[in-house]
Each structure stands twice: as C-alpha cells, then as structure tokens.
Amino acid sequence: MAFTLGPDARSAGYRLAAFDEIGSTNAEALARARAGDTGRLWVVSDRQTAGRGRRGNAWSTERGNLAASLLTVTAADAAAVATLGFVAGVALDAALRRAAPEVVTAIALDGAQGGGDRIALKWPNDVLLDGAKLAGILLEAERAPDGRMAVVVGIGVNVRHAPTDLPYPAASLAGLGATVDAEAVFSALSECWCEAAAAWDDGRGFPAVRARWLERASGLGGAVAVRIDGEVTRGVFETIDETGRLVVRTESGARRTITAGEVHFGAAGTART
C-alpha cells in the first residue's frame, strides 16, 4: 500500500511527496519552501534516517513508523504560527481515533469497553498512549520568498516500533494490538488536518482549537513540575493561555505562564529532585 491523501485533503488542494526512505521530512519540506513552494504540501515516509526533535535531539523513524511534515505558507504573525503545534495535536488525536479505534478506549477489568481514554495530549507537543510517548510534533519556520511565513509541521508517530533508548517511556500502536499501518494513519491525518486547520483559520480560530486541545490534555488540574535552565517550578497545571503558553498555579499561589521547558506531570511533578 502506498501513501495517499484522503479525499477531503485532495479536494482542498493539498499535495503529496512520498519517499520510501528519507533523511528528514522536515528538511525536505524546508528545502522546497526555500525553492518557492507555496505550501499545502505533505512530505512523508515510513523510514527516516536523520530526523530531529525538539532542542536539536535526533529522532529516528524505524521502517513502519510514520514521518510526516506539512509545509504551509501563511500570512499569520509569529505568535499565531506558534500555535500550529496545537492544531497538529488536535488533528493527530482525531486521526488516531479514526485509524486505530481499537487502542483508544481502555478495556475495563470486566472486559467491557469504557475503561478510560488511552490517548492524551501533553504540552507542548507530544501525544501519549497510556502515559507513554506515542508521537511528537516539531515546528520549524522561515520567511518565504514572498514575505509570508513558511512553516513546517513535523509529525512522527510510533506505528510499528517504539524507541527504547529514551529517558522516558515510549509506546507504539502495534505494541498495544493495533493492526493499522503508517499509510492508513497518514491518510486519516491528512483528512483531520483539513478540519483542524480550517478551525484555526490563520490563528483567528485558535480559541476553538485551544478548547479542543484542553479536552484531551494530559495532567490538566494535576501536579506539574517544569524545569527551565536548571530551575524547577512546581504547582498545578491550570490551563494554557490564549497564546498556548502553559499556565501553572505555583505552590505560593501565584500564576506563572511558561513558554518552554521540560514538563513532568503527576507523581513526577511532585517528586523533589
């Protein structure tokens, strides 16, 4: 089976560049932006050899996983562009529910459906399955030749394999019994992106996207610890604000907004290090 766009994505003018193997889908999309590509282009592969994650970390994609990067060119300002990560989170959450419904709902002890929701969105850019990292999102942006912003939304999903050399737990869809492949996940993602991007509307619709993201947020209302340059802020994950920043009610009772940091929720958020 080959990668294909969903019918709504094709109708909306999205295009596809699929590779059997690639160094980095993000790098390829950025190169095309520098060459004048006007966007609505997906670059995808199920094998990536030189991918990258946040803070310059390497992110490999084993054969059978999904590496997908969307090039979009927008007149939105930098603050609005930064919220595209939440658009991607909402779209990917919906796509996983469509493509692999058998792993979304936990099984109760009596064997019935309805034991809980297994997928959650972790601020700022991860998708969790049973608390372990299933997918990551990386935004990269440059000024396009016409003066607008060329934004690459990179999305990596552990479909067949979960990495084992990470400092945190990781999960794969196959590891929890899903039979879906990377091509089916991508097709669903291309469809769900159309809906989420239309709601975002160049940033004007971020309040609606924010509300949907919060419905799926991991750790909301619970303990959180955020490490920033060696300093740790502890408190309660209260919400995300109108620009997507994490809002923490600190132990002193003050509200602090955080743009970036290493985040730990739950028991890890209360542990003293």
Side-chain angles (χ1 to χ4, degrees):
M1 179 178 178
F3 285 105
T4 58
L5 292 165
D8 289 345
R10 291 194 300 271
S11 296
Y14 285 88
R15 297 168 292 124
L16 176 63
F19 294 84
D20 181 63
E21 181 176 304
I22 196 170
S24 164
T25 56
N26 263 33
E28 177 68 19
L30 282 171
R32 294 189 180 215
R34 293 169 189 142
D37 195 293
T38 56
R40 294 205 169 196
L41 173 71
W42 282 102
V43 179
V44 299
S45 180
D46 72 345
R47 170 75 172 130
Q48 182 176 238
T49 59
R52 50 186 181 264
R54 294 177 65 229
R55 302 191 181 110
N57 295 325
W59 181 266
S60 63
T61 304
E62 296 302 319
R63 177 73 66 191
N65 286 351
L66 174 64
S69 296
L70 174 68
L71 171 62
T72 184
V73 180
T74 175
D77 62 23
V81 163
T83 65
L84 274 169
F86 298 96
V87 179
V90 166
L92 183 53
D93 173 85
L96 291 168
R97 294 171 192 279
R98 180 181 298 188
E102 68 271 30
V103 304
V104 172
T105 304
I107 304 300
L109 293 178
D110 62 1
Q113 292 287 334
D117 200 333
R118 304 174 78 174
I119 294 180
L121 302 176
K122 181 185 176 185
W123 187 90
N125 63 353
D126 289 342
V127 178
L128 306 181
L129 182 58
D130 287 348
K133 183 170 179 175
L134 174 68
I137 298 162
L138 176 67
L139 297 186
E140 297 185 278
E142 294 182 1
R143 189 68 62 182
D146 64 3
R148 295 184 295 165
M149 290 299 296
V151 188
V152 174
V153 183
I155 299 171
V157 184
N158 299 329
V159 180
R160 290 294 179 199
H161 312 282
T164 58
D165 56 347
L166 301 175
Y168 48 80
S172 70
L173 293 173
L176 289 171
T179 58
V180 68
D181 57 22
E183 290 87 349
V185 173
F186 171 71
S187 181
L189 175 59
S190 72
E191 294 284 88
C192 294
W193 174 270
C194 291
E195 179 187 349
W200 181 70
D201 189 23
D202 276 346
R204 291 179 290 270
F206 180 62
V209 172
R210 172 181 176 270
R212 288 178 60 184
W213 190 93
L214 284 168
E215 289 175 357
R216 304 298 188 193
S218 173
L220 187 64
V224 63
V226 186
R227 183 181 298 274
I228 307 170
D229 297 329
E231 176 191 354
V232 178
T233 296
R234 300 181 189 278
V236 172
F237 173 21
E238 195 167 88
T239 188
I240 60 172
D241 70 9
E242 65 280 358
T243 65
R245 295 178 299 178
L246 184 74
V247 179
V248 176
R249 179 72 66 177
T250 69
E251 294 174 330
S252 68
R255 290 176 98 234
R256 181 174 179 185
T257 56
I258 296 169
T259 302
E262 181 183 334
V263 180
H264 300 278
F265 294 115
T270 60
R272 300 284 169 172
T273 56

